[in-house]
Amino acid sequence: MNDNETVAAVLETTATRKMNGHLPNAVDLSHHLNLLSRSRHPSPLKDIIKFMGYDGMISLAGGLPHPSLFPVYDASFTVSAPSPTADSLEIKLSNDSGETPPLSKFLQYGTCTGNAELRQWCLDFTRQIHRPAYKDFDVLLHPGNTNAWSKVVGLLCEKGDYILCESYTYPSSQALWIPNDNFAAPVAMDGEGITDTALEEILSTWDATHPGVKRPHVLYLVSVGSNPTGVSMGSERRRKIYEICVKYDVIIVEDDPYYFLQYPEIDTSGTPTEYTSTSNKEFLSSLVPSFLRFDRQGRVIRLESFSKTLAPGLRLGYFVANPLFTERLLRATEVETQDPSGLSQALVLALLTRWSRDGYITWLQNLRLEYQRRRDWMVAALRKSFDLAPASEYPELSGAEGGLVAAILGPNGSRVPVFSFIAPTGGMFIWTKFYFGHNAKYLALKNAAVEVDPEQIFANKLWAELAEERVLLTPGYYYHPWQGADKTSTTARGADPDSSHFRLAFSMTTKDDMELGIERMANVIRRSWSP
Amino acid sequence: MNDNETVAAVLETTATRKMNGHLPNAVDLSHHLNLLSRSRHPSPLKDIIKFMGYDGMISLAGGLPHPSLFPVYDASFTVSAPSPTADSLEIKLSNDSGETPPLSKFLQYGTCTGNAELRQWCLDFTRQIHRPAYKDFDVLLHPGNTNAWSKVVGLLCEKGDYILCESYTYPSSQALWIPNDNFAAPVAMDGEGITDTALEEILSTWDATHPGVKRPHVLYLVSVGSNPTGVSMGSERRRKIYEICVKYDVIIVEDDPYYFLQYPEIDTSGTPTEYTSTSNKEFLSSLVPSFLRFDRQGRVIRLESFSKTLAPGLRLGYFVANPLFTERLLRATEVETQDPSGLSQALVLALLTRWSRDGYITWLQNLRLEYQRRRDWMVAALRKSFDLAPASEYPELSGAEGGLVAAILGPNGSRVPVFSFIAPTGGMFIWTKFYFGHNAKYLALKNAAVEVDPEQIFANKLWAELAEERVLLTPGYYYHPWQGADKTSTTARGADPDSSHFRLAFSMTTKDDMELGIERMANVIRRSWSP
């Protein structure tokens, strides 16, 4: 950070503080807590810790192992500079280091809230990036968003509750709530994610459509680069959704690991894209605001993760929420996990401190460019193996609106549309909607009228043929919201007939493999669609 | 390891394998699973991972971040040698290391079971140390015993279930089960922990004493160096307890972080103790067998932790259990935590590999000596500040049997017994039972007959006076098993009248501070007990 930037940062902090001074505190949302969460008491053992700070106190209380008996004396890491083209950096942690907290502190039991400096870092970063619209938001460390979502369900949901979610939703989140006897209340999506009209419709008609069932009070969504659909929600849509959640008293759980992986619209002009970074200020202002920006009441719980921005194996992230919720989440942390790995906390704190906050933002910006490049590779590969055209050329295809359609050449040179997708502006996924209406083998299966769910049967068959050809996609049915055992078939779910979905990830494959994989996919499709 | 030891180890492994060949598999214990656990399904996303290993497969399926974009290139640690007097060692982990798995693998998402090599290490170690009496036991990594116990309650307990536990039990475990609407069924203890007669009595009379309430099917205990009581259970007691659990179909959850911190009886001869290590073979044969040694049916779940043997901040441990239970625990792991921090796994695997299994046992042996030394310091400090005598000299004191009594000098030179304790042969704690019968201030409080629980009131007052004098103990009431809101007072719990407990930890304090702290304690006691 140069001097000007330091001054700017100080000014911004002062401005933020001033601004914060005028912000309201969170409203009382305690009626959202479930019985389990209300019943938790502070662990008495933790209470005693505050006395340990007394001058001259000799503690025979806490049963901690002695740090001199930890076998690890120091650690050093070679890490990237914020800009990956610069020379790498060395980070050292030792038991007697003066500047940073000693390593032995991170090897000892923590206080369940997580390291105080790291929490402060997260708080400051949240204030700078998300600028919550209420004053007393708090953060609490957690060991990754899987665990964070598990704790949120344990905080808010009773058995039998319906959870509002995207019409295709992250399966591991569901795998948690299904055995807990919760059900999905899926909200219809467009190219920006769930729509405000669909949300309003569900909530306003709930009592009529679900007599005797409690109206959902939790909305779970991945609002940037949604998994699996890849779509991101714009600012105006967020404002509208937030107001509906105020009106119907809904808590918004924003699971947002891809927030910094936001990309410009795909460039179809044919001119080569330049993947160059801009100033951090420009980068930050290019990002869509999170729900926190609209949160004047404290009804948003953000699940923040370092998994996509640093590394998933760290198992480290943090909640941002109102202080009532973070306090109850801390009670759950005490008995369910304790704080995240101290080694992970030590490395992340040292890395972020070494980089500085500004350096971390530079890192994020470069990371974003790398994933944008991968998105562009995949769209180019699709263009190479298929005939790609705007969906407007295929007005008969339902659900393709605003996207692109991939077609193959039919018997007499005609274009046969096979699937549509929206080139994502965030995340790691392209979500394809397949149309089976022109596939003779599918039509034969359907017309035989033996199978209850010919779409699903045919999609499974196609998936197996792709795997046989050595290209793996993720089947769309993984992401179907669970609405009960009677709503699992394509028809029963109310999905479009003669269609199915597959998810393509562009995060992990090399450019060459991506092209080869997509070409294999085209081969299988051409074979399957041939009469 | 020298050649002879290597040969011995190979022979032992072969012998174990041979022996294992004759062992039975676990019996079917599926009726112990609760509804939540039965309802879990494998996460579909994880299923796809097995296809990724196909030759030439191009995966567009898994949404993993790209490892080239992780900012950590390599890590190195300076660690202790197994014998702390030897020179320290260097451990290096890099992304392209040939011998060990590359660091990037540990920075990526894991498979929820944890690293395969580390799991294998845990399996081999369990076979060597505990020699389970059935064949198909399995291990699963977890992020520490707090989380492990949370997952076990989620595996076995329904709301309303009673959990068998020690008559003083670890409070954080209880803090989990109380809001889950579980109750303690405390089992009376002696100097070896819970007694088989008390356990048999509770189970055989359950239907009569608790009509309409399900008989407990889970026993939770810390069987070595119990927290808080410090007692350890011998081999014969374990055999009897195990048979009772077979008879009444009870699952034994052995939370055993202190297993390797087993000490000889305290030496009262006055000759200075030599803290010298023996051969690893002698060390291992000095250890009391765990419940696994008796477990011919697979009804023991061991919660293993590296917190006390390496460092708590690693948040790393493992379950040992029958394969049905580990499979269900894996399902919970997928949706509740994922696998433990990869960085912690990488460091522990590298350390254990570098040390070798034999080296780790040497480390444990030396660690044990260090904590034994600390136990001896504390007993010596108690001897310095109090008049210590065998409990046999105080036959009137209930619950002091087999232990030592700490007395102060009374007005006319008589010995006034204040508290008793059993010098522990394991763990980190001395559990003191205080007798208030000779304390005039307590008797005045009791005789005023205003307070429902004069014992508790007086114990709190004494604790505050100790804290004021700058010595912190842990109040005994932290460890009272929760039997419901109507059973919280000393009388209602059925505890001895005119008594209370405090826990003293000898793990964390220096010798000088220990002496000073105990002297402060004696000062407060002398003041309080003076007429």
Side-chain angles (χ1 to χ4, degrees):
Chain A
M1 214 189 271
N2 63 37
D3 280 358
N4 282 347
E5 283 172 321
T6 309
V7 170
V10 168
L11 284 177
E12 189 185 342
T13 308
T14 316
T16 310
R17 279 212 198 101
K18 245 188 209 154
M19 194 183 70
N20 280 353
H22 296 290
L23 292 176
N25 278 337
V27 300
D28 181 6
L29 295 165
S30 54
H31 54 283
H32 284 279
L33 300 174
N34 67 12
L35 184 61
L36 173 71
S37 180
R38 280 166 211 258
S39 311
R40 293 193 195 281
H41 295 285
S43 162
L45 273 184
K46 312 288 169 193
D47 272 358
I48 225 168
I49 288 175
K50 66 180 173 215
F51 288 96
M52 293 188 181
Y54 278 31
D55 249 9
M57 184 64 88
I58 292 175
S59 175
L60 307 175
L64 306 177
H66 200 276
S68 70
L69 303 175
F70 298 156
V72 184
Y73 303 148
D74 62 44
S76 67
F77 300 91
T78 312
V79 298
S80 174
S83 168
T85 52
D87 288 344
S88 60
L89 307 171
E90 292 297 317
I91 288 179
K92 289 198 182 301
L93 301 167
S94 76
N95 284 343
D96 45 28
S97 67
E99 289 183 35
T100 54
L103 178 61
S104 59
K105 190 175 167 182
F106 292 96
L107 293 172
Q108 187 55 279
Y109 284 107
T111 56
C112 289
T113 48
N115 175 272
E117 288 180 62
L118 185 53
R119 275 183 72 210
Q120 187 60 48
W121 189 96
C122 298
L123 208 53
D124 293 341
F125 188 69
T126 302
R127 195 173 281 121
Q128 176 181 356
I129 303 296
H130 297 301
R131 306 206 299 271
Y134 72 112
K135 194 161 53 181
D136 58 345
F137 64 93
D138 201 0
V139 306
L140 176 68
L141 299 194
H142 62 63
N145 279 8
T146 297
N147 181 254
W149 172 240
S150 158
K151 282 180 182 146
V152 167
V153 171
L155 180 81
L156 302 174
C157 299
E158 301 286 5
K159 277 178 186 296
D161 277 4
Y162 278 69
I163 296 172
L164 295 158
C165 65
E166 294 158 293
S167 54
Y168 298 97
T169 189
Y170 180 51
S172 293
S173 301
Q174 281 211 100
L176 179 87
W177 85 54
I178 296 170
N180 193 43
D181 258 354
N182 295 122
F183 298 89
V187 186
M189 302 171 81
D190 64 12
E192 280 197 66
I194 63 167
T195 71
D196 46 294
T197 45
L199 182 62
E200 170 87 42
E201 169 78 11
I202 288 177
L203 290 166
S204 66
T205 62
W206 186 266
D207 292 341
T209 55
H210 297 76
V213 177
K214 189 170 83 181
R215 201 175 64 204
H217 69 121
V218 176
L219 166 62
Y220 170 80
L221 80 177
V222 180
S223 61
V224 170
S226 179
N227 187 353
T229 65
V231 300
S232 299
M233 189 179 284
S235 183
E236 182 54 19
R237 174 73 57 88
R238 285 169 190 261
R239 198 190 56 72
K240 286 181 182 164
I241 299 274
Y242 185 82
E243 292 307 325
I244 293 169
C245 289
V246 170
K247 181 173 167 189
Y248 293 98
D249 193 18
V250 172
I251 303 296
I252 301 171
V253 186
E254 189 173 33
D255 181 1
D256 204 1
Y258 310 108
Y259 183 75
F260 293 101
L261 306 183
Q262 298 187 29
Y263 324 121
E265 297 281 344
I266 193 108
D267 186 348
T268 54
S269 69
T271 53
T273 307
E274 303 239 3
Y275 299 94
T276 48
S277 53
T278 61
S279 76
N280 279 346
K281 206 178 155 186
E282 266 183 87
F283 168 59
L284 291 182
S285 66
S286 78
L287 301 175
V288 70
S290 81
F291 271 104
L292 282 180
R293 191 78 59 87
F294 305 95
D295 189 17
R296 62 182 186 274
Q297 298 193 317
R299 60 173 65 250
V300 173
I301 303 178
R302 262 184 77 81
L303 313 184
E304 303 274 8
S305 168
F306 290 110
S307 289
K308 306 301 194 292
T309 59
L310 297 178
L314 297 167
R315 300 283 77 218
L316 186 62
Y318 55 98
F319 298 99
V320 184
N322 72 61
L324 173 82
F325 286 177
T326 54
E327 190 274 341
R328 292 287 92 189
L329 291 166
L330 174 59
R331 296 287 86 84
T333 300
E334 287 169 356
V335 296
E336 288 182 0
T337 57
Q338 304 210 20
D339 58 342
S341 161
L343 210 53
S344 296
Q345 290 188 57
L347 172 57
V348 168
L349 177 62
L351 182 66
L352 295 174
T353 306
R354 181 67 180 272
W355 277 354
S356 84
R357 215 177 331 143
D358 209 52
Y360 180 53
I361 296 168
T362 301
W363 167 259
L364 294 171
Q365 193 180 165
N366 285 297
L367 193 71
R368 182 265 306 252
L369 288 174
E370 286 304 315
Y371 284 106
Q372 181 189 339
R373 193 193 304 270
R374 283 158 198 274
R375 175 201 65 175
D376 294 350
W377 288 348
M378 184 165 271
V379 175
L382 288 167
R383 195 178 297 283
K384 197 170 162 191
S385 292
F386 294 93
D387 182 281
L388 274 200
S392 54
E393 296 184 17
Y394 297 90
E396 76 281 12
L397 294 182
S398 150
E401 298 80 6
L404 295 164
V405 170
I408 53 174
L409 285 188
N412 41 19
S414 65
R415 292 193 302 183
V416 180
V418 179
F419 61 90
S420 70
F421 65 96
I422 291 176
T425 56
M428 300 181 164
F429 309 111
I430 290 183
W431 180 240
T432 61
K433 179 175 185 178
F434 272 65
Y435 305 93
F436 296 151
H438 295 284
N439 187 303
K441 296 175 187 99
Y442 165 76
L443 291 172
L445 180 74
K446 182 186 177 185
N447 293 333
V450 177
E451 303 291 351
V452 178
D453 195 354
E455 288 88 349
Q456 191 55 53
I457 302 275
F458 191 76
N460 288 350
K461 193 169 160 326
L462 186 61
W463 186 86
E465 286 167 16
L466 290 161
E468 200 58 42
E469 190 82 11
R470 296 291 187 266
V471 57
L472 274 189
L473 311 187
T474 315
Y477 74 87
Y478 283 14
Y479 307 94
H480 292 165
W482 174 254
Q483 301 174 75
D486 55 333
K487 288 194 181 171
T488 57
S489 74
T490 305
T491 322
R493 285 186 296 110
D496 279 348
D498 309 335
S499 77
S500 197
H501 291 87
F502 292 96
R503 191 194 75 173
L504 282 68
F506 54 81
S507 52
M508 260 300 273
T509 325
T510 62
K511 185 163 180 280
D512 288 350
D513 271 1
M514 225 180 256
E515 288 177 2
L516 185 56
I518 300 282
E519 183 50 31
R520 287 178 184 172
M521 187 176 148
N523 288 338
V524 170
I525 285 171
R526 280 191 288 262
R527 257 198 324 266
S528 175
W529 261 253
S530 73
Chain B
M1 214 190 271
N2 64 37
D3 280 356
N4 282 346
E5 284 172 322
T6 310
V7 170
V10 168
L11 284 177
E12 188 184 342
T13 309
T14 315
T16 310
R17 279 213 197 99
K18 244 187 208 155
M19 193 183 70
N20 279 353
H22 296 289
L23 293 176
N25 277 338
V27 300
D28 181 4
L29 295 166
S30 55
H31 54 283
H32 284 279
L33 300 174
N34 67 11
L35 184 62
L36 173 72
S37 180
R38 280 165 210 260
S39 311
R40 293 192 195 281
H41 295 285
S43 163
L45 274 184
K46 311 289 170 193
D47 274 358
I48 225 169
I49 288 176
K50 65 179 176 217
F51 288 96
M52 292 187 180
Y54 279 32
D55 249 9
M57 184 63 88
I58 292 175
S59 174
L60 307 175
L64 306 177
H66 200 276
S68 70
L69 303 175
F70 298 155
V72 185
Y73 302 147
D74 62 46
S76 68
F77 300 90
T78 311
V79 298
S80 173
S83 167
T85 52
D87 288 346
S88 60
L89 307 171
E90 292 297 317
I91 288 178
K92 288 197 183 301
L93 302 167
S94 75
N95 283 343
D96 45 29
S97 66
E99 290 184 35
T100 54
L103 178 62
S104 59
K105 190 175 168 185
F106 292 96
L107 293 172
Q108 186 55 280
Y109 283 107
T111 56
C112 290
T113 49
N115 175 272
E117 288 180 60
L118 185 54
R119 274 183 71 211
Q120 186 61 47
W121 189 96
C122 298
L123 210 52
D124 294 340
F125 188 69
T126 302
R127 195 172 281 123
Q128 176 181 357
I129 303 295
H130 298 301
R131 307 207 299 271
Y134 71 112
K135 195 161 53 183
D136 58 345
F137 64 92
D138 201 0
V139 305
L140 176 68
L141 299 194
H142 61 63
N145 279 9
T146 297
N147 182 254
W149 172 241
S150 159
K151 282 180 181 146
V152 167
V153 171
L155 180 81
L156 301 174
C157 300
E158 300 287 5
K159 276 177 188 296
D161 277 4
Y162 278 69
I163 297 172
L164 295 159
C165 65
E166 295 159 293
S167 53
Y168 298 97
T169 190
Y170 180 52
S172 292
S173 301
Q174 280 212 100
L176 179 88
W177 85 55
I178 297 170
N180 193 42
D181 259 354
N182 295 123
F183 297 90
V187 185
M189 304 172 81
D190 63 13
E192 280 197 65
I194 64 167
T195 71
D196 46 294
T197 45
L199 182 62
E200 171 87 42
E201 168 80 12
I202 288 177
L203 289 166
S204 65
T205 62
W206 186 266
D207 293 340
T209 55
H210 296 76
V213 177
K214 189 170 85 181
R215 200 175 63 204
H217 69 121
V218 176
L219 166 62
Y220 170 80
L221 81 176
V222 180
S223 61
V224 169
S226 177
N227 188 352
T229 66
V231 300
S232 298
M233 189 180 283
S235 183
E236 182 54 19
R237 175 73 58 85
R238 285 169 190 262
R239 197 189 56 72
K240 288 181 181 164
I241 299 273
Y242 185 81
E243 291 308 325
I244 294 169
C245 290
V246 170
K247 181 173 169 191
Y248 293 97
D249 193 18
V250 171
I251 303 297
I252 301 170
V253 186
E254 189 173 31
D255 181 2
D256 204 1
Y258 310 108
Y259 182 76
F260 293 101
L261 306 183
Q262 299 186 29
Y263 324 121
E265 297 282 343
I266 194 109
D267 187 348
T268 53
S269 68
T271 53
T273 307
E274 302 239 3
Y275 299 94
T276 48
S277 53
T278 61
S279 77
N280 279 346
K281 205 177 157 191
E282 266 183 87
F283 168 59
L284 291 182
S285 67
S286 78
L287 300 176
V288 70
S290 81
F291 272 104
L292 281 179
R293 190 76 60 87
F294 305 94
D295 190 15
R296 62 181 187 275
Q297 298 193 317
R299 60 172 66 250
V300 173
I301 303 178
R302 262 184 78 81
L303 313 184
E304 303 274 8
S305 167
F306 290 111
S307 288
K308 306 302 193 293
T309 61
L310 297 177
L314 297 166
R315 302 281 79 218
L316 186 62
Y318 54 98
F319 298 100
V320 184
N322 72 60
L324 172 81
F325 287 178
T326 55
E327 190 273 342
R328 291 287 94 188
L329 290 165
L330 174 59
R331 296 287 87 83
T333 300
E334 287 169 355
V335 296
E336 287 181 0
T337 58
Q338 304 210 19
D339 58 344
S341 161
L343 210 53
S344 296
Q345 290 188 56
L347 172 57
V348 169
L349 177 61
L351 182 66
L352 295 174
T353 306
R354 180 68 179 273
W355 279 354
S356 84
R357 215 177 330 145
D358 209 51
Y360 181 53
I361 296 167
T362 301
W363 167 260
L364 294 171
Q365 192 179 167
N366 285 298
L367 193 71
R368 183 265 306 251
L369 289 175
E370 286 304 316
Y371 283 107
Q372 181 189 338
R373 194 193 303 269
R374 282 157 199 276
R375 175 201 64 174
D376 295 350
W377 288 348
M378 185 166 271
V379 175
L382 289 167
R383 195 178 296 284
K384 198 170 162 191
S385 293
F386 294 94
D387 182 281
L388 273 199
S392 54
E393 298 184 18
Y394 296 90
E396 78 280 12
L397 294 182
S398 148
E401 298 81 6
L404 295 164
V405 170
I408 53 174
L409 286 187
N412 40 21
S414 65
R415 293 193 301 185
V416 179
V418 179
F419 60 89
S420 70
F421 65 95
I422 292 175
T425 55
M428 299 180 165
F429 309 112
I430 291 183
W431 180 240
T432 61
K433 179 175 185 179
F434 272 64
Y435 305 92
F436 295 151
H438 295 285
N439 188 303
K441 294 174 189 103
Y442 166 76
L443 291 171
L445 181 75
K446 183 185 178 189
N447 294 332
V450 177
E451 302 292 352
V452 178
D453 194 354
E455 286 88 351
Q456 190 56 54
I457 302 274
F458 191 75
N460 288 349
K461 193 170 158 323
L462 186 61
W463 186 87
E465 286 166 16
L466 290 161
E468 200 59 42
E469 190 83 10
R470 295 294 186 265
V471 56
L472 274 188
L473 312 186
T474 316
Y477 75 86
Y478 283 13
Y479 307 94
H480 292 165
W482 174 253
Q483 302 175 72
D486 55 333
K487 289 194 182 171
T488 57
S489 74
T490 305
T491 323
R493 285 187 296 110
D496 280 349
D498 309 334
S499 76
S500 196
H501 291 86
F502 292 96
R503 191 192 77 173
L504 281 67
F506 54 80
S507 52
M508 259 300 272
T509 324
T510 62
K511 185 163 181 281
D512 288 350
D513 271 1
M514 225 181 256
E515 289 178 1
L516 185 56
I518 300 283
E519 184 49 32
R520 287 179 184 172
M521 188 177 147
N523 289 337
V524 170
I525 286 172
R526 280 190 287 261
R527 256 197 328 263
S528 177
W529 262 252
S530 74

